[in-house]
Amino acid sequence: MSDLKVLIAGAGLGGLTLARSLRTHRIDVTVFERDASPWDRPQGYRLHLDADALGAAREVLPADLHAVFDATAQYTEAFTTILGTDLSVVKRLPAQDEHGEEVWPAHDGPGSHANVDRATLRQILLAGLEDTVRFGKTLDHYESTSDGVTAYFTDGSRAHGHVLVGADGIRSAVRRRRAPHSETVDAGITAIYGRLPRATAEPLVPVETMNDIFTIASDERKVFLGLGCVRFPTSPAEAVARFAPGVPMLDQDDYVVCIVGGRHEYFPNTDGAMRTRSGEELRHIAAETLRDWPTGAAELVRGADPASFFLVEMYTSVPTTLDAPTNVTLLGDAVHAMTPTLGRGANVAMRDGALLGRALKRVADGQLTLADALAAYERDMLAYGFSVVREAAEVGRQRMAQNPLPA
Ligand SMILES: Cc1cc2nc3c(=O)[nH]c(=O)nc-3n(C[C@H](O)[C@H](O)[C@H](O)COP(=O)(O)OP(=O)(O)OC[C@H]3O[C@@H](n4cnc5c(N)ncnc54)[C@H](O)[C@@H]3O)c2cc1C
């Protein structure tokens, strides 16, 4: 074990990817997570992963856990399907053609896009890190000196290390101090998410959409219905039994996530009332938003489990710069949060985690100073991270009338 001691605030996908990388490199790491447990709040269902996240998973997971990842991931065709409001296929867009070379990471043939279940991925990343992740620890602020950095938590406790990484999401407490000039702004979009069993969705949507990255229908208001399928080639429980016995894993059946979204004004959100709605009420609002469409769309939404519905009000970061690093840095949504139009936020967060892990290994090995390693990491991370923020905002503007980024 090296002498370097790393503190991470936030056990989301980015923070856990970094923690796994540091464990592989035998670097001392502790993760402090605000939630009391991994299942405290809904965090979404399906995740689209591209070459960034698939590469990071390959890099940081040990062979047994990567086998579980691989066995439970649905490797999709590299297409997005556009449907009419009657849910018939209008066209299938190759991912590359629609978004251009810059937006999606280099295409290395089949297997470069996957739909995975977020909870399954989080359990895989957490497996074996029980002694590393402290739940119920909310970072309040930190103090950085030439001796290192001290993190202060809301329960009055503190921790000291050589470096603190803010992986604490879109409302990052670390960013407040590390980048006080940075801004996160309302993207103008409300979305209601729910999920339904695959068998319920199948009769209502064209079969070819079930193996695509994403499927979307929208109307002249740019109100949209998005669909994303998760099919487990091997069920999570069976994959664990086969490849990593003893790892805790919730079993799940195949499902389709449905998203009804559009500009805030199309949703009845007087004084933030949507935030207090029950799942059943959100389902009703989502179905009503599609009431002028042919009946199949609302029928599909009504087929989803009422308890599965939750609300997302979309925000985006505004591309910015960071002051020269000392011993505190940021990753993932804590620095370059983006709207989920491209399904790339988790990918970039995991890429950050793997990249920063490699940079810190060079510090632990005595090849680089901490300041030089963080400067190189931040230069790369800010360049690719904010380029995806800009692309997500532009595609969001075209597809769902997202507010443009401030100049
Ligand atoms: C509905 C939805 C669908 C999405 N779909 C996709 C997709 O298909 N593909 C994709 O790539 N991306 C997708 N994204 C984006 C993706 O979820 C995020 O970009 C990704 O989760 C960012 O990871 P992160 O680790 O940076 O932050 P998070 O996952 O937000 O994790 C941050 C963690 O920090 C914790 N935390 C917060 N404050 C503190 C504190 N003060 N102290 C300690 N801990 C703290 C939080 O509890 C949380 O666990 C989607 C997002 C949403 C909302």
Side-chain angles (χ1 to χ4, degrees):
M1 190 72 78
S2 85
D3 290 340
L4 187 68
K5 185 168 168 47
V6 181
L7 312 177
I8 304 175
L13 299 171
L16 290 175
T17 301
L18 173 61
R20 291 227 76 103
S21 166
L22 296 176
R23 279 280 292 259
T24 310
H25 299 316
R26 300 181 52 75
I27 294 172
D28 185 352
V29 53
T30 309
V31 186
F32 300 93
E33 166 56 45
R34 177 187 59 189
D35 290 345
S37 80
W39 319 120
D40 252 22
R41 63 196 159 84
Q43 304 204 354
Y45 303 118
R46 160 208 165 270
L47 276 177
H48 157 250
L49 301 186
D50 59 37
D52 278 342
L54 296 172
R58 209 174 298 120
E59 180 175 330
V60 307
L61 291 173
D64 56 346
L65 292 176
H66 192 265
V68 175
F69 173 86
D70 211 30
T72 53
Q74 174 188 0
Y75 289 96
T76 65
E77 311 248 348
F79 283 95
T80 299
T81 299
I82 308 295
L83 301 180
T85 54
D86 62 354
L87 307 189
S88 63
V89 174
V90 175
K91 56 185 164 180
R92 290 180 81 218
L93 296 169
Q96 224 63 7
D97 284 6
E98 189 195 12
H99 302 304
E101 294 295 325
E102 297 303 314
V103 176
W104 298 85
H107 206 283
D108 54 1
S112 55
H113 292 274
N115 284 348
V116 304
D117 174 62
R118 184 189 283 256
T120 304
L121 175 59
R122 193 123 184 273
Q123 288 169 100
I124 292 170
L125 288 169
L126 273 167
L129 294 186
E130 293 78 7
D131 57 339
T132 304
V133 183
R134 309 245 172 94
F135 285 97
K137 286 281 186 190
T138 303
L139 182 110
D140 183 62
H141 66 284
Y142 67 83
E143 278 171 16
S144 157
T145 66
S146 52
D147 288 344
V149 55
T150 305
Y152 294 86
F153 300 96
T154 53
D155 62 3
S157 61
R158 62 178 75 173
H160 188 78
H162 297 105
V163 54
L164 170 67
V165 181
D168 49 346
I170 190 162
R171 287 181 189 80
S172 169
V174 177
R175 185 186 64 227
R176 272 204 300 274
R177 178 138 191 202
R178 177 70 182 84
H181 55 280
S182 67
E183 270 186 285
T184 301
V185 295
D186 179 13
I189 306 297
T190 293
I192 299 175
Y193 282 68
R195 65 185 255 182
L196 61 163
R198 183 184 160 102
T200 311
E202 255 168 1
L204 294 167
V205 291
V207 66
E208 59 266 48
T209 69
M210 292 282 188
N211 204 34
D212 282 355
I213 296 173
F214 197 60
T215 300
I216 189 161
S218 62
D219 64 17
E220 64 287 346
R221 299 170 298 171
K222 299 202 174 174
V223 165
F224 64 90
L225 169 67
L227 300 170
C229 184
V230 171
R231 184 176 51 76
F232 297 100
T234 308
S235 83
E238 194 186 326
V240 159
R242 202 182 297 166
F243 300 111
V247 164
M249 182 61 71
L250 291 172
D251 208 12
Q252 300 209 49
D253 293 324
D254 298 348
Y255 63 83
V256 174
V257 64
C258 64
I259 310 154
V260 176
R263 290 207 51 91
H264 297 320
E265 49 267 33
Y266 298 120
F267 294 85
N269 190 18
T270 353
D271 294 333
M274 288 271 281
R275 285 185 214 127
T276 60
R277 304 281 192 187
S278 67
E280 180 119 32
E281 287 169 324
L282 288 174
R283 182 175 72 168
H284 177 71
I285 293 168
E288 275 297 295
T289 307
L290 305 179
R291 67 180 169 274
D292 295 334
W293 294 25
T295 53
E299 193 186 327
L300 189 130
V301 171
R302 289 202 185 90
D305 173 7
S308 71
F309 280 83
F310 67 96
L311 177 75
V312 174
E313 288 162 324
M314 294 186 191
Y315 286 79
T316 177
S317 60
V318 180
T320 187
T321 53
L322 290 180
D323 297 335
T326 48
N327 46 23
V328 179
T329 192
L330 297 162
L331 66 69
D333 279 10
V335 55
H336 45 55
M338 61 193 73
T339 47
T341 30
L342 295 170
R344 294 218 47 205
N347 286 279
V348 184
M350 291 177 70
R351 175 173 173 178
D352 293 350
L355 178 68
L356 182 54
R358 266 178 264 134
L360 292 174
K361 176 174 179 352
R362 298 190 68 196
V363 178
D365 291 348
Q367 295 170 10
L368 277 182
T369 65
L370 182 58
D372 285 348
L374 294 186
Y377 158 72
E378 288 181 0
R379 190 188 55 238
D380 289 358
M381 174 275 287
L382 292 173
Y384 63 69
F386 284 132
S387 101
V388 186
V389 169
R390 288 192 188 88
E391 288 293 344
E394 178 51 23
V395 174
R397 193 186 61 73
Q398 293 164 21
R399 280 207 184 147
M400 56 188 190
Q402 173 177 340
N403 295 336
L405 288 170

